[in-house]
Amino acid sequence: MIDYESLYRCFLAGQMVPFYKIMYPGLLTFASRMLGAKMAFMAEDAVQDAVLAAYEKFHQLRDREKFAPWIMQILVNRCRRRMKTWFRREKDIDG
């Protein structure tokens, strides 16, 4: 089981190595699946964007126990943004 309290403290202290070792593989898998095969190449960028946004907005997190769902929601939003941009560009190219 993942100790999210320890991850929270590492993240708060700016110690990103433990965070990346534990959370990054799951975040990347989630982003790859959400973006699908056609846009899987964007997954790593989406994860990086989400982690950076989470770090910058860390003060907005009110409940430490919601750390994992909170960062996942940020990732979902980043993936959606990338999909929206992708489809808009595809539409512009096609027609």
Side-chain angles (χ1 to χ4, degrees):
M1 185 170 173
I2 297 173
D3 180 8
Y4 289 109
E5 180 64 29
S6 295
L7 281 179
Y8 175 86
R9 285 194 304 266
C10 288
F11 200 78
L12 183 63
Q15 299 171 349
M16 301 307 285
V17 173
F19 173 81
Y20 271 99
K21 281 185 177 180
I22 295 169
M23 292 287 291
Y24 187 81
L27 293 173
L28 185 58
T29 299
F30 179 84
S32 295
R33 288 182 178 166
M34 185 171 177
L35 292 169
K38 198 172 189 180
M39 295 181 286
F41 66 94
M42 294 183 183
E44 196 166 339
D45 289 340
V47 172
Q48 293 291 332
D49 289 348
V51 170
L52 180 61
Y55 191 75
E56 290 173 346
K57 297 178 182 200
F58 199 64
H59 64 280
Q60 295 176 359
L61 179 62
R62 291 186 170 83
D63 185 358
R64 290 180 182 191
E65 294 178 11
K66 308 264 185 192
F67 177 67
W70 177 72
I71 200 162
M72 287 299 287
Q73 186 59 52
I74 293 172
L75 180 57
V76 166
N77 292 340
R78 292 299 189 254
C79 288
R80 284 180 180 158
R81 186 180 300 166
R82 288 184 180 279
M83 285 189 287
K84 185 177 179 180
T85 302
W86 172 268
F87 289 124
R88 190 177 306 134
R89 287 182 184 159
E90 285 291 305
K91 185 179 174 185
D92 289 345
I93 291 171
D94 291 340

